Amino acid sequence: MTLPKHTILLVEDEVEPAEMLANFLEMSDYNLLVAHNGKKALELIEKNASDIHLAVLDIMVPHVNGKEICRVIRKHPVLSDIPVIFLTAKDKEKDEIEGLELGADDYISKPASLKLVKAHIESLLRRQQPQNSKWIQYGNLYLDTSGKDLYQKETRIELTSTEYGLIELFFQNPKRVYTRQEILEHIGGDDRFVFDRTVDVHIKNLRLKMGDDSDMIKTYRGMGYGLNRDKIVL
Amino acid sequence: MTLPKHTILLVEDEVEPAEMLANFLEMSDYNLLVAHNGKKALELIEKNASDIHLAVLDIMVPHVNGKEICRVIRKHPVLSDIPVIFLTAKDKEKDEIEGLELGADDYISKPASLKLVKAHIESLLRRQQPQNSKWIQYGNLYLDTSGKDLYQKETRIELTSTEYGLIELFFQNPKRVYTRQEILEHIGGDDRFVFDRTVDVHIKNLRLKMGDDSDMIKTYRGMGYGLNRDKIVL
DNA sequence: GGGCAGCGTCATAATTCTGTCTCAATTTAT
DNA sequence: ATAAATTGAGACAGAATTATGACGCTGCCC
């Protein structure tokens, strides 16, 4: 099973607080990768790059400091777009500005409560979604853009490539209505010469597979199809 | 001017610091909309919704507090995706967590330097995805030309394609009066052979859906229909 | 070659929208 | 004030649009 459990890289030199935070986050259903120094952090990045969704970095860690790690992440082919949170002692405003310029997304002053850190993490992950995460979620539906398939809660729904193309189009732009022509162009790749109404059939097949969530795809009569805006909750 | 300037909504009750920050940001090539209390903030949001790219909110402001404003923004058809930054006194961790859960994107403890605030703003704008929906606003009404529907404040109004065609025509040329023939040509596509009284019926249906704002569409007796010039504020 | 899955087309059923009609309400003209 | 003209509202039939089920075609894997 591959439900979108997020993996967080935590880099923090003080062992005790790091463990506490890691445990707390694991209880909240995240996977954790923990490093207590910069070298270890870089190793973890090397080995697990494609799994990491967010990084929490203490600025002051042995060997390679947080800023350096952030720079590595931002240049990394797979990781360059993940959210990065810096942790640091209070009142180091200079660090904070530098961090932001380096491309950090957020900044938390220590000491910070576990709940606070979690709130920051969730806020970032929530906004992260549409762009570059491999998962896009609406309601019960999770689209895996790298595996090219769709999950309804925890069960996988097999899609044909045309059906995947449809749902991907809708998920990428949840508030838009697409005309049949636009849809055809997206799923056909090239503008093949295909009857309009064929789209209806694919929509029907897709809805069938979506079961209870079939009303997530809405017919905008006279216009085309799109997601059901009333069911989209951010 | 090279780049399209970003417009920032700043809500902060203390006049002196607000001015300083506003000036500083204007020097950095942003447009500023400043409110010193919640009521004013809501007005600015009403009138300038489609121009605002980011909001900086103090939590404690008179009339309507920052959290409430954030909630309004998140429910607003045009603004729901902009970055929101909260400003607050240090160590109000509870506020901070609540703010993040409300969908704030960032949180800055006061006092904060001008440069720090700017760094946060730039960090958020940098990550903001380009918006591809086009909005036209008059009064409480927001027309979403990519989603093909109409919002009345924050509630969506479902329109048929004919009704959408009508309102689109009026919104594109708010000061014009259209004869029934012109209206028919616009919504019919081709000049179908249809009684011009049919327009009356569509107008009626549209007004019905518009509820309190039904008087936004005015009857120009003997001429046709158009937007109510008295209710258009430019 | 047979079986199968995916796609496109068609015919027909189901649904929603549009256009017309009638009558009431409102405004304008005499 | 009354009549004439214009617009608003409700109801309804049939037009237009969409949903569905069935079928043939293609390419792929045994």
Side-chain angles (χ1 to χ4, degrees):
Chain A
M1 231 296 301
T2 14
L3 240 200
K5 217 175 172 182
H6 286 112
T7 298
I8 297 171
L9 173 68
L10 172 62
V11 183
E12 156 69 83
D13 60 331
E14 293 171 77
V15 177
E16 186 61 23
E19 287 305 315
M20 274 184 58
L21 180 56
N23 285 330
F24 179 73
L25 291 173
E26 274 167 353
M27 276 172 24
S28 310
D29 233 21
Y30 292 99
N31 292 321
L32 265 286
L33 295 170
V34 184
H36 299 301
N37 63 64
K39 257 171 82 178
K40 184 76 191 307
L42 294 181
E43 277 174 39
L44 286 176
I45 288 174
E46 275 307 302
K47 293 209 175 141
N48 303 281
S50 49
D51 296 326
I52 299 175
H53 303 110
L54 180 146
V56 179
L57 311 176
D58 192 344
I59 294 224
M60 299 296 295
V61 291
H63 303 323
V64 188
N65 73 23
K67 290 181 207 161
E68 203 45 58
I69 295 172
C70 179
R71 216 172 272 126
V72 169
I73 289 175
R74 287 291 174 243
K75 279 198 266 181
H76 193 285
V78 180
L79 295 177
S80 61
D81 291 323
I82 67 167
V84 174
I85 300 176
F86 274 134
L87 290 176
T88 197
K90 270 177 196 276
D91 299 326
K92 293 276 185 190
E93 197 178 80
K94 186 164 147 282
D95 279 351
E96 184 163 354
I97 292 176
E98 265 185 73
L100 290 169
E101 279 167 358
L102 259 173
D105 296 272
D106 203 349
Y107 207 89
I108 307 177
S109 305
K110 292 200 295 186
S113 78
L114 301 178
K115 277 182 69 180
L116 179 63
V117 175
K118 185 184 159 202
H120 276 263
I121 287 171
E122 281 174 353
S123 160
L124 282 171
L125 287 177
R126 197 179 328 130
R127 312 224 15 80
Q128 178 68 2
Q129 269 197 26
Q131 291 100 316
N132 38 32
S133 105
K134 68 180 221 180
W135 292 95
I136 311 179
Q137 181 211 4
Y138 291 108
N140 294 330
L141 298 174
Y142 298 81
L143 189 70
D144 177 353
T145 58
S146 62
K148 306 290 183 209
D149 49 13
L150 182 67
Y151 288 79
Q152 184 179 34
K153 300 225 171 158
E154 320 212 334
T155 47
R156 202 167 81 85
I157 297 178
E158 284 246 7
L159 299 181
T160 70
S161 59
T162 315
E163 286 154 7
Y164 175 79
L166 263 179
I167 197 78
E168 182 194 56
L169 180 65
F170 294 151
F171 268 43
Q172 279 170 359
N173 240 316
K175 295 186 180 179
R176 250 200 83 176
V177 175
Y178 291 92
T179 65
R180 292 186 172 71
Q181 275 312 318
E182 289 174 316
I183 293 173
L184 279 178
E185 275 164 36
H186 183 260
I187 61 182
D190 307 312
D191 37 2
R192 271 180 297 170
F193 150 79
V194 167
F195 214 31
D196 258 311
R197 297 282 143 197
T198 300
V199 174
D200 299 27
V201 178
H202 291 302
I203 293 277
K204 183 201 65 173
N205 295 332
L206 184 51
R207 280 179 172 153
L208 196 67
K209 292 185 179 177
M210 287 169 38
D212 287 344
D213 290 307
S214 63
D215 59 350
M216 185 66 91
I217 296 179
K218 186 165 173 185
T219 307
Y220 293 88
R221 186 170 265 255
M223 306 171 182
Y225 297 94
L227 286 193
N228 188 338
R229 298 191 195 68
D230 297 331
K231 297 199 85 190
I232 302 175
V233 191
L234 294 175
Chain B
M1 230 251 295
T2 46
L3 264 178
K5 273 190 179 182
H6 287 288
T7 298
I8 296 172
L9 172 69
L10 172 62
V11 184
E12 153 73 79
D13 61 331
E14 293 170 79
V15 177
E16 187 60 24
E19 288 306 315
M20 274 185 55
L21 180 56
N23 286 332
F24 179 73
L25 291 174
E26 273 165 354
M27 277 173 24
S28 312
D29 233 20
Y30 293 99
N31 292 321
L32 266 285
L33 296 170
V34 183
H36 299 301
N37 64 63
K39 261 171 80 178
K40 185 79 194 306
L42 293 181
E43 277 173 39
L44 286 176
I45 288 175
E46 278 305 302
K47 294 209 174 143
N48 303 280
S50 44
D51 296 325
I52 299 175
H53 302 110
L54 181 146
V56 179
L57 311 176
D58 192 345
I59 294 223
M60 300 295 295
V61 290
H63 303 322
V64 186
N65 71 27
K67 289 181 209 160
E68 204 45 57
I69 295 172
C70 178
R71 216 172 271 126
V72 169
I73 289 176
R74 287 290 174 244
K75 277 199 275 186
H76 193 286
V78 180
L79 295 176
S80 62
D81 292 324
I82 66 166
V84 173
I85 300 177
F86 273 134
L87 291 176
T88 197
K90 270 179 194 279
D91 299 327
K92 294 273 184 190
E93 191 176 290
K94 189 166 145 282
D95 280 350
E96 183 163 352
I97 292 176
E98 266 186 79
L100 290 169
E101 278 167 359
L102 260 173
D105 296 273
D106 205 348
Y107 207 90
I108 306 178
S109 304
K110 292 200 296 187
S113 77
L114 301 177
K115 276 183 68 179
L116 178 64
V117 176
K118 184 183 159 202
H120 278 262
I121 288 171
E122 280 173 354
S123 157
L124 282 171
L125 287 177
R126 203 182 314 135
R127 313 200 129 263
Q128 182 72 353
Q129 61 189 339
Q131 288 274 304
N132 52 357
S133 49
K134 292 258 170 69
W135 295 90
I136 313 179
Q137 176 200 9
Y138 291 108
N140 293 330
L141 297 174
Y142 300 84
L143 189 71
D144 176 354
T145 58
S146 74
K148 307 286 183 212
D149 53 11
L150 182 68
Y151 285 78
Q152 183 180 35
K153 298 225 171 162
E154 42 196 64
T155 40
R156 206 166 66 80
I157 298 178
E158 287 245 8
L159 300 179
T160 70
S161 54
T162 316
E163 287 154 7
Y164 174 79
L166 261 180
I167 196 79
E168 185 193 55
L169 179 65
F170 293 150
F171 269 42
Q172 279 169 359
N173 239 317
K175 296 185 176 180
R176 250 200 84 177
V177 175
Y178 291 90
T179 66
R180 292 183 172 72
Q181 274 313 319
E182 289 174 317
I183 292 173
L184 278 179
E185 276 164 34
H186 183 260
I187 62 181
D190 308 311
D191 36 5
R192 269 182 298 171
F193 140 86
V194 166
F195 259 141
D196 57 0
R197 301 276 135 204
T198 299
V199 173
D200 300 26
V201 177
H202 291 302
I203 293 278
K204 182 200 65 175
N205 293 334
L206 185 50
R207 281 178 172 153
L208 196 68
K209 292 186 180 178
M210 286 170 36
D212 288 343
D213 290 306
S214 62
D215 59 350
M216 184 65 91
I217 297 178
K218 184 167 174 185
T219 307
Y220 294 89
R221 184 169 263 257
M223 309 180 214
Y225 297 94
L227 286 194
N228 189 339
R229 296 194 190 78
D230 299 334
K231 296 199 85 190
I232 304 173
V233 193
L234 296 174

